[in-house]
Amino acid sequence: MSTPQQGSALERVRGLAREVAKFGAVGGVGVLVNLGVFNLIRHTTDLQVVRASVIATVVAIITNYLGFRYFTYRDRARTGGSRELPLFVAFSVIGLVIENGVLYTATYGFGWDGPLATNVFKFIGIGTATVFRFWSYRTWVFKALPEQRPESMEVAEVAAVVSSPRGGAAGTTAAADATGAARAPEHAAK
């Protein structure tokens, strides 16, 4: 039997599926920005492949931060600039190294530097880094808020403690609470 604080397994799976979908939507925009900026730089400048890719990745990281903070993880704890942004930047830099390491290896290690090959390996690098980013952002950067119990449960527990003749409410039932509440004025008069 699941507890109200943890939710059922089905609810947790549904929540994870919603999170993955939102992450994917923001990430999809980031991929388009990343590949768009990358190809724009490649076709309009003489910048080397990996340098163009790093610039494109940085632009996509900025775009993604805004999407993650204000869409995907808007319900998560806001720790502000003191914790969230530095962690996001640190994990994004690791993702940047993963993403561009794949492209670097393909370009300079294997000599695959044609327009199609660079886009394919850029895309593979993005996919590889995305797995790391999803895990790190949800685990360390945009931490889930602790689930709050419904206020009615807290009020009922406080009422049970106050109305119990012995002051303890462990294991009381609604009937016992009502009986204790009915006797409370009687005890107060003695």
Side-chain angles (χ1 to χ4, degrees), residues 12-98:
R12 286 182 279 167
V13 168
R14 284 181 181 159
L16 182 61
R18 279 190 301 273
E19 181 181 346
V20 168
K22 287 180 175 182
F23 188 92
V26 171
V29 170
V31 168
L32 292 176
V33 167
N34 198 333
L35 291 173
V37 171
F38 173 69
N39 283 297
L40 180 68
I41 292 171
R42 289 283 292 148
H43 294 295
T44 59
T45 70
D46 291 331
L47 210 56
Q48 295 175 344
V49 174
V50 176
R51 288 182 184 169
S53 179
V54 168
I55 292 169
T57 303
V58 169
V59 173
I61 286 169
I62 293 166
T63 304
N64 286 350
Y65 177 76
L66 296 172
F68 292 143
R69 170 44 43 217
Y70 298 107
F71 177 66
T72 305
Y73 297 115
R74 70 176 173 247
D75 61 333
R76 299 286 177 99
R78 293 182 189 262
T79 54
S82 64
R83 180 185 165 280
E84 180 180 284
L85 193 55
L87 281 174
F88 183 84
V89 169
F91 288 120
S92 294
V93 167
I94 294 169
L96 181 144
V97 170
I98 293 168

Side-chain angles (χ1 to χ4, degrees), residues 116-128:
L116 179 61
T118 56
N119 277 292
V120 166
F121 286 102
K122 173 88 173 142
F123 190 76
I124 291 170
I126 290 170
T128 306

